[in-house]
Amino acid sequence: MFEIVKRQEMAQGSVVLNEINAPLIAKKAKPGQFVILRGHEKGERIPLTMADTDPEKGTITIIYQVVGKTTALFKTLKEGDRYLDIIGPLGKPTDIEKVDGDVVCVGGGTGVAVLHPITRAFKQAGNHVIAIIGARTKDLLILEDKMKAASHELHVCTDDGSYGHHGFVTDVLKELLNSKNVKLVVAIGPVPMMKFVCNITKEHNVKTLVSLNPIMVDGTGMCGCCRVTVGGKTKFACVDGPEFDGHQVDFDELTQRLRSYLEQEKQSYELFKTKLNA
Ligand code: FES
């Protein structure tokens, strides 16, 4: 169990895909749900939303960005290596429904990996789905082909104009909100991106779902670490989410809480890199 059966580096090695043997999770998981992985007994617990599942093969796919010590450690795992344990599926699945209008799925960075099964499920439910994906530059863009297949129309944006639309995903979203009959937006990516998407869709009064990524520990609603404020109420992203009504989310508080251990995370990553290169 938990053996890596396929490993692929993306976005110049800053993003890694692992397809992992986890038959019980693959059988039960639905789009929008996540797992928590540990590499070794004293390892940090890392929550990651599944990018894909294959119940027949008994595998789940995760895609993570190398941002600190634990993800750098995960990157050293090769095909045939195993994670110590994986728990899941956790969280509530996405509420996939047939919408009376267009569905726009907006993804940024590795958020595109999370968005992919959700986009596909909205299409399979009979919706007309328009996807917008973005990255800082062409080389950092992921899953373009998969997102093309999962949607009816795909718009690609890069901040530096090296590929597709020169600018932000929000530029394209604004155009679509003015020209199409958009009834639902799903936005997954960096917190500032989700916040700006929500500011725009609020003006147009279009329902918007976001998937939040607060710091988590147990992932089962007991530690309170993942608390977020939604509509003025405290919610636990691991059991009440990870998806919420974006117009109700306090993004500024989420940003602040995500930065709580920034200094310690930096020190730990530096120490790890020093040891790795020693
Ligand atoms: S991670 Fe502990 S309550 Fe959500």
Side-chain angles (χ1 to χ4, degrees):
M1 282 251 269
F2 311 138
E3 180 187 342
I4 299 169
V5 295
K6 183 182 163 194
R7 179 189 182 280
Q8 188 189 337
E9 291 192 7
M10 306 161 128
Q12 297 176 317
S14 63
V15 173
V16 181
L17 174 149
N18 278 174
E19 187 180 343
I20 306 162
N21 179 36
L24 294 178
I25 300 174
K27 212 159 124 188
K28 282 192 75 179
K30 296 207 167 68
Q33 289 188 296
F34 68 96
V35 290
I36 292 185
L37 307 95
R38 264 194 327 165
H40 59 90
E41 208 180 330
K42 291 189 178 164
E44 187 184 10
R45 297 156 61 83
I46 297 286
L48 286 169
T49 301
M50 287 168 273
D52 215 344
T53 55
D54 187 334
E56 313 252 294
K57 229 167 124 188
T59 59
I60 61 168
T61 301
I62 52 156
I63 295 179
Y64 60 88
Q65 190 170 7
V66 180
V67 287
K69 179 189 167 185
T70 303
T71 42
L73 189 72
F74 284 1
K75 194 184 171 188
T76 65
L77 298 174
K78 305 275 177 283
E79 278 177 20
D81 288 344
R82 290 168 197 275
Y83 284 90
L84 176 71
D85 48 49
I86 303 178
I87 56 164
L90 298 168
K92 289 186 178 161
T94 310
D95 191 10
I96 305 291
E97 50 177 343
K98 172 81 179 76
V99 180
D100 184 23
D102 297 323
V103 177
V104 177
C105 295
V106 190
T110 45
V112 176
V114 178
L115 192 67
H116 168 245
I118 296 170
T119 307
R120 188 175 54 193
F122 272 109
K123 188 180 175 190
Q124 281 167 352
N127 293 291
H128 185 257
V129 181
I130 305 168
I132 315 169
I133 59 170
R136 266 189 294 119
T137 186
K138 184 175 188 270
D139 294 339
L140 297 179
L141 204 65
I142 61 165
L143 303 183
E144 184 188 355
D145 291 349
K146 284 194 172 248
M147 285 302 288
K148 202 175 208 167
S151 60
H152 293 94
E153 192 180 316
L154 174 69
H155 299 263
V156 180
C157 310
T158 49
D159 298 1
D160 65 356
S162 52
Y163 188 55
H165 169 81
H166 183 177
F168 301 121
V169 288
T170 42
D171 303 339
V172 179
L173 176 65
K174 274 185 203 162
E175 284 172 26
L176 293 173
L177 287 167
N178 288 323
S179 61
K180 304 260 184 181
N181 178 30
V182 181
K183 282 285 156 62
L184 175 69
V185 171
V186 185
I188 308 178
V191 176
M193 186 212 91
M194 293 194 285
K195 181 181 165 178
F196 286 124
V197 165
C198 290
N199 287 345
I200 294 164
T201 55
K202 214 173 192 172
E203 284 171 22
H204 290 257
N205 203 18
V206 174
K207 183 179 167 187
T208 304
L209 288 176
V210 292
S211 180
L212 304 186
N213 57 339
I215 295 169
M216 288 191 186
V217 178
D218 66 301
T220 56
M222 289 186 282
C223 70
C225 198
C226 66
R227 63 187 180 274
V228 286
T229 303
V230 183
K233 294 198 178 101
T234 298
K235 298 278 179 191
F236 290 169
C238 67
V239 285
D240 300 319
E243 283 167 24
F244 293 100
D245 174 353
H247 295 163
Q248 305 289 323
V249 171
D250 184 340
F251 286 107
D252 295 336
E253 183 197 57
L254 174 64
T255 305
Q256 216 178 6
R257 286 185 58 78
L258 279 168
R259 297 176 67 85
S260 307
Y261 302 103
L262 215 57
E263 197 44 47
Q264 290 90 335
E265 285 166 4
K266 221 169 105 189
Q267 280 174 11
S268 174
Y269 191 19
E270 288 308 319
L271 195 66
F272 176 77
K273 282 195 279 191
T274 314
K275 279 186 189 164
L276 203 66
N277 295 326

